[in-house]
Amino acid sequence: GNSVTQMEGPVTLSEEAFLTINCTYTATGYPSLFWYVQYPGEGLQLLLKATKADDKGSNKGFEATYRKETTSFHLEKGSVQVSDSAVYFCALSDQAGNQFYFGTGTSLTVIP
Amino acid sequence: DADVTQTPRNRITKTGKRIMLECSQTKGHDRMYWYRQDPGLGLRLIYYSFDVKDINKGEISDGYSVSRQAQAKFSLSLESAIPNQTALYFCATSDTGRSGELFFGEGSRLTVL
């Protein structure tokens, strides 16, 4: 079946530090992969996505590359800011785009 | 106004009461979903609907029911609430296609005493 496993949190970083949040997946066929972000008190919103192998999604300085050989979609940012403090969810949609599967979320706190 | 609107945003109720959470959307999407968020468990799918006549159970549908009143409206009901249904509930919509993203409401926080 389809599933997503992501790095346990919480993660605390100093401003301008490098961020990596690991995400691996299990899926049949060719899923699409997503990172969603949830700011305090808000719903989830799409951060970036990739729809096929070797695609790189990017947005707001965040990047993730769809690696089929390692079934991974790790989230990275070179220099985090206090405003990046949020919960980050890795997700996949099945090949037909019918269902979405989420990881457990990783809480990030960035301190000045 | 938000594209996906959930009401109520917060609700405290007692065990055994019937509760309805409502969701409406202005995105024109056919697909609507109800998720539940619990700390450490991420989001789990309760029900989903691909059009007005299509309702499907998700991973954790026991104790819940839904109604798709129109393309834009999708309600979640707890017929007899119990404390372990205390959670943050999200409605989401999606366009068709495998690269379609989910658009979420701001959530409804339910506490069952």
Side-chain angles (χ1 to χ4, degrees), chain A residues 3-7 22-26 70-74 90 92:
Chain A
S3 67
V4 175
T5 302
Q6 69 179 94
M7 189 171 105
N22 290 335
C23 173
T24 58
Y25 67 90
T26 302
T70 55
T71 62
S72 65
F73 193 55
H74 304 320
C90 185
L92 70 83

Side-chain angles (χ1 to χ4, degrees), chain A residues 47-112:
Chain A
L47 179 61
L48 53 84
K49 70 178 181 182
T51 59
K52 61 183 187 296
D54 300 325
D55 268 2
K56 177 185 284 187
S58 62
N59 186 26
K60 300 181 180 180
F62 291 90
E63 294 182 338
T65 300
Y66 188 140
R67 301 286 188 200
K68 193 166 179 63
E69 64 275 15
T70 55
T71 62
S72 65
F73 193 55
H74 304 320
L75 182 68
E76 297 182 335
K77 187 174 185 182
S79 177
V80 293
Q81 304 300 311
V82 173
S83 57
D84 294 327
S85 298
V87 181
Y88 292 83
F89 291 90
C90 185
L92 70 83
S93 69
D94 61 23
Q95 184 165 326
N98 289 338
Q99 290 204 38
F100 293 78
Y101 301 85
F102 285 83
T104 54
T106 302
S107 175
L108 170 67
T109 301
V110 180
I111 55 177

Side-chain angles (χ1 to χ4, degrees), chain B residues 24-51:
Chain B
S24 62
Q25 54 115 345
T26 58
K27 297 198 70 69
H29 290 163
D30 287 326
R31 301 183 174 197
M32 298 188 73
Y33 305 77
W34 275 105
Y35 286 91
R36 168 179 171 159
Q37 183 180 19
D38 297 277
L41 296 177
L43 274 72
R44 293 181 292 168
L45 182 63
I46 306 173
Y47 271 95
Y48 62 103
S49 169
F50 287 171
D51 66 41

Side-chain angles (χ1 to χ4, degrees), chain B residues 4 8 13 31 34 42 44 51 56 58 61-62 70 84 89 91 93:
Chain B
V4 183
T13 191
R31 301 183 174 197
W34 275 105
R44 293 181 292 168
D51 66 41
N56 303 281
S61 59
D62 287 349
N84 77 0
Y89 291 85
C91 176
T93 73

Side-chain angles (χ1 to χ4, degrees), chain B residues 2 7 9 16 24 30 34 36 39 54 68 70 73 78 92 103 108:
Chain B
T7 56
R9 294 291 312 280
S24 62
D30 287 326
W34 275 105
R36 168 179 171 159
D54 177 74
R68 185 80 185 266
K73 296 184 181 297
L78 288 69
F103 294 85
S108 295

